[in-house]
Amino acid sequence: MAAEGKNEVASSLLDLQPSAVLELFRVYPDKINKPNLFLGFHGGALYDKSLIWQGVQYLPLALESEGFDLLADGKLARPKIKVGNTNNIVTNLLQNHKDFVNARVVRKRVSVRFLDDTNFDGGNPFGVADPTAELTNELWLMGRKIEESKI
């Protein structure tokens, strides 16, 4: 069944009118003591409300991400995520979870076309919901916090 989802994604990328691609993140701050506890979020640029993907809620946070490229020269990618610190939410999370050092980060990329119907009134107007149709599901480990500010 997962292969069908991958085939669906591949064919949708070749459409004359491909849909927007969303980045969804899950941060697991304590993979040893609480392996199932995570914070799910998305950039909020295309959709400023919570999103549901595969039955999981992702909160909108102002963010920028870069460096997730796959490099062919043998060097390791060094991605960075900058998150807006509205109401000191990020500061509180960092204080409660040891600055997210060694936190597990899952980056999912999905086409709007395949989002769960619950995100839209009357179902997904862009396509048919398909929880198996992910572009990528990448696993990363957070090395360190570079900077923290009120912003």
Side-chain angles (χ1 to χ4, degrees):
M1 185 158 133
E4 292 172 9
K6 295 289 183 190
N7 291 338
E8 190 74 27
V9 170
S11 66
S12 75
L13 291 174
L14 299 174
D15 284 349
L16 293 176
Q17 296 178 344
S19 68
V21 175
L22 297 171
E23 276 186 318
L24 307 174
F25 294 93
R26 289 186 190 178
V27 176
Y28 295 82
D30 188 354
K31 61 185 179 183
I32 295 173
N33 298 318
K34 298 179 182 177
N36 296 324
L37 174 71
F38 68 89
L39 169 66
F41 59 93
H42 69 94
L46 296 175
Y47 197 72
D48 63 353
K49 297 179 183 172
S50 293
L51 285 173
I52 306 294
W53 171 247
Q54 298 173 327
V56 176
Q57 182 178 17
Y58 294 87
L59 303 172
L61 289 177
L63 71 88
E64 292 178 20
S65 65
E66 63 181 37
F68 285 97
D69 306 326
L70 296 175
L71 305 173
D73 61 1
K75 295 180 182 175
L76 292 175
R78 301 272 185 214
K80 295 180 182 177
I81 301 173
K82 295 179 183 178
V83 180
N85 196 8
T86 307
N87 298 327
N88 289 324
I89 293 172
V90 175
T91 297
N92 290 332
L93 288 169
L94 291 171
Q95 288 173 349
N96 292 328
H97 298 288
K98 301 176 187 172
D99 287 338
F100 285 170
V101 173
N102 294 323
R104 188 170 48 145
V105 178
V106 177
R107 176 182 177 239
K108 294 176 174 278
R109 294 179 60 227
V110 62
S111 173
V112 172
R113 170 180 298 182
F114 304 117
L115 284 178
D116 295 13
D117 288 332
T118 58
N119 293 301
F120 308 96
D121 293 333
N124 189 337
F126 305 108
V128 177
D130 184 355
T132 64
E134 287 184 335
L135 291 170
T136 59
N137 187 15
E138 304 166 5
L139 176 62
W140 298 85
L141 291 177
M142 193 171 301
R144 64 186 173 105
K145 171 185 73 175
I146 295 175
E147 181 183 353
E148 180 183 351
S149 69
K150 293 179 183 178
I151 299 170

